[in-house]
């Protein structure tokens, strides 16, 4: 019996210690604002983040208490996201060299004004170097997943160009038009109907109306450069086709397509390059968002807004 009793007490004591240990783990100290996969991030770290995120000229005293809380809350959301991404960079062993930090700071230099005699160069500022290091590590981590997803083939570029309607290639098409100015909408409708029924040619319509400066002149330009009402009226017309009446600057016109030409060969490759760049950027941004979404779903994240030195305002896109 003594053995059984001691065993029972021993099991009870161990269970209590386990419970107390778990309880202690679930109650962080008051300086912890976020816990990511068991690793604590403190309010001091958030304060350091704030000091580098807020513009030097930002006057928080000029804002009301609610506005200050809102600004700080959105910055806290960004701080949490950054730390989630840094957790993954740590897990993957992402490293950044001092040379890469130097290059980043040089490229990120905003002002060309020389530093004051007593002011440390940007590259020697510990706060800016720490910010640059975090930024580069996150960027490298995201690039590892996002760049492969952003690869775009030639067929995909062609499909993208067709999808965006009035594509960059089509918009480079050259059209030559003759215009006929009519005295009224009613007259324009009548002339258009006569031409459509083949009771009158466009040239005959021109001859029947009093000449005005520029009447029936031929103009040639890129389809994309035409005024929107004219472009819409002639976009689908074949050579020889006459448009419906078009109102332009308070006057009524008919337009006849004299000739159409393909895009300038010199414009084709730049248009394809722009389309490829746009598509790659679109896919890269999508893949970047997925990295954070996947981490949120797979990593244990605890937020302790009650430990923040301001009233946290939740946001739908926040933590």
């Amino acid at each position: 019996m003594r053995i059984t009793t001691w065993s029972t007490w021993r099991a009870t004591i161990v269970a209590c210690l386990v419970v107390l240990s778990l309880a202690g783990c679930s109650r962080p100290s008051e300086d912890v604002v976020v816990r990511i996969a068991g690793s604590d991030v403190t309010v001091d770290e958030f304060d350091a983040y704030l000091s580098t995120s807020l513009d030097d000229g930002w006057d928080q005293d000029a804002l009301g208490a609610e506005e200050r809380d809102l600004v700080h809350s959105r910055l806290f959301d960004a701080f949490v996201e950054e730390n989630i991404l840094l957790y993954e960079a740590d897990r993957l062993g992402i490293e950044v060299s001092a040379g890469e930090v130097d290059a980043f700071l040089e490229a990120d230099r905003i002002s060309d004004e020389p530093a004051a005699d007593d002011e440390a160069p940007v590259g020697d500022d510990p706060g800016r170097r720490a910010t640059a290091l975090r930024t580069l590590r996150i960027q490298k981590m995201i690039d590892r997943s996002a760049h492969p997803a952003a690869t775009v083939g030639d067929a995909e570029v062609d499909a993208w160009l067709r999808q965006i309607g009035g594509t960059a290639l089509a918009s480079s098409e050259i059209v030559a038009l003759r215009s006929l100015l009519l005295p009224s909408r009613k007259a324009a409708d009548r002339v258009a109907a006569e031409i459509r029924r083949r009771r009158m040619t466009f040239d005959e319509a021109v001859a029947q109306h009093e000449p005005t400066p520029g009447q029936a002149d031929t103009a040639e330009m890129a389809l994309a450069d035409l005024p929107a009402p004219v472009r819409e009226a002639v976009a689908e017309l074949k050579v020889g086709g006459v448009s419906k009446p078009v109102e332009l600057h308070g006057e009524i016109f008919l337009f006849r397509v004299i000739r159409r030409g393909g895009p300038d060969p010199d414009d084709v490759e730049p248009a394809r390059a722009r389309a490829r760049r746009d598509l790659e950027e679109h896919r890269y941004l999508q893949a970047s968002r997925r990295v954070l979404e996947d981490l949120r779903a797979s990593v244990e994240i605890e937020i302790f807004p009650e430990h923040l030195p301001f009233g946290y305002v939740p946001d739908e896109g926040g933590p």
Side-chain angles (χ1 to χ4, degrees), residues 149-153 156-160 273-286:
T151 303
V152 177
E156 292 172 300
V157 173
D158 293 336
W160 176 260
R274 287 193 298 272
R276 184 184 298 276
R277 185 171 60 249
D278 290 346
L279 184 55
E280 287 176 343
E281 181 178 349
H282 175 71
R283 289 190 174 179
Y284 181 89
L285 289 175
Q286 284 186 321

Side-chain angles (χ1 to χ4, degrees), residues 5 119 121 127 137 142 195 219 250 260 267 291 297:
T5 301
E119 183 179 346
R137 294 186 68 225
I142 291 177
I195 294 174
R260 306 186 74 135
D267 291 340
V291 170

Side-chain angles (χ1 to χ4, degrees), residues 22-263:
L22 290 175
C25 291
S26 64
R27 295 179 182 177
S29 60
E30 292 185 359
D31 67 335
V32 174
V33 291
V34 60
R35 176 176 288 164
I36 301 170
S39 179
D40 290 342
V41 183
T42 68
V43 69
D44 287 342
E45 293 175 76
F46 177 58
D47 285 341
Y49 176 85
L50 277 182
S51 68
T52 58
S53 299
L54 293 174
D55 185 83
D56 291 338
W58 187 68
D59 183 9
Q60 64 175 339
D61 293 331
L63 301 177
E66 291 184 359
E67 292 175 309
R68 285 199 302 272
D69 287 349
L70 187 61
V71 170
H72 286 148
S73 296
R74 298 294 72 78
L75 286 170
F76 179 69
D77 291 346
F79 173 74
V80 171
E81 290 184 353
E82 180 177 292
N83 276 276
I84 294 171
L85 295 170
L86 283 171
Y87 158 80
E88 182 66 3
D90 287 339
R91 192 185 69 81
L92 295 174
I94 302 295
E95 300 289 345
V96 173
S97 69
E100 289 175 304
V101 173
D102 291 338
F104 177 88
L105 290 171
E106 182 63 28
D108 197 47
R109 192 183 301 275
I110 297 175
S111 173
D112 292 328
E113 297 179 4
D117 293 339
D118 59 348
E119 183 179 346
V122 171
D124 295 335
D125 186 313
R128 293 193 181 184
R129 290 192 70 84
T131 299
L133 178 62
R134 290 196 305 270
T135 300
L136 287 170
R137 294 186 68 225
I138 289 172
Q139 190 62 57
K140 278 190 172 185
M141 186 274 293
I142 291 177
D143 284 350
R144 181 178 291 193
S145 298
H147 269 314
T151 303
V152 177
D154 292 341
E156 292 172 300
V157 173
D158 293 336
W160 176 260
L161 285 169
R162 289 192 297 270
Q163 178 183 340
I164 61 179
T167 66
L169 293 178
S171 65
S172 300
E173 181 183 8
I174 304 300
V175 293
L177 304 174
R178 288 184 74 196
S179 59
L180 172 59
L181 173 63
L182 283 304
S184 66
R185 168 71 68 171
K186 183 176 180 179
D189 288 337
R190 178 181 58 78
V191 171
E194 291 293 299
I195 294 174
R196 188 167 58 251
R197 295 168 185 164
R198 298 186 179 181
R199 295 177 181 175
M200 179 189 297
T201 66
F202 188 86
D203 289 339
E204 290 171 340
V206 171
Q208 286 184 11
H209 291 81
E210 182 179 345
T212 58
Q215 182 77 289
D217 284 352
T218 300
E220 184 176 287
M221 64 178 64
L223 181 64
D225 294 334
L226 291 171
V230 180
R231 183 172 64 248
E232 293 169 4
V234 304
E236 303 301 327
L237 293 179
K238 297 179 180 179
V239 173
V242 177
S243 72
K244 296 179 180 179
V246 176
E247 183 174 347
L248 190 64
H249 306 306
E251 296 184 302
I252 306 298
F253 294 86
L254 295 179
F255 294 92
R256 183 170 186 261
V257 179
I258 303 303
R259 59 182 173 274
R260 306 186 74 135

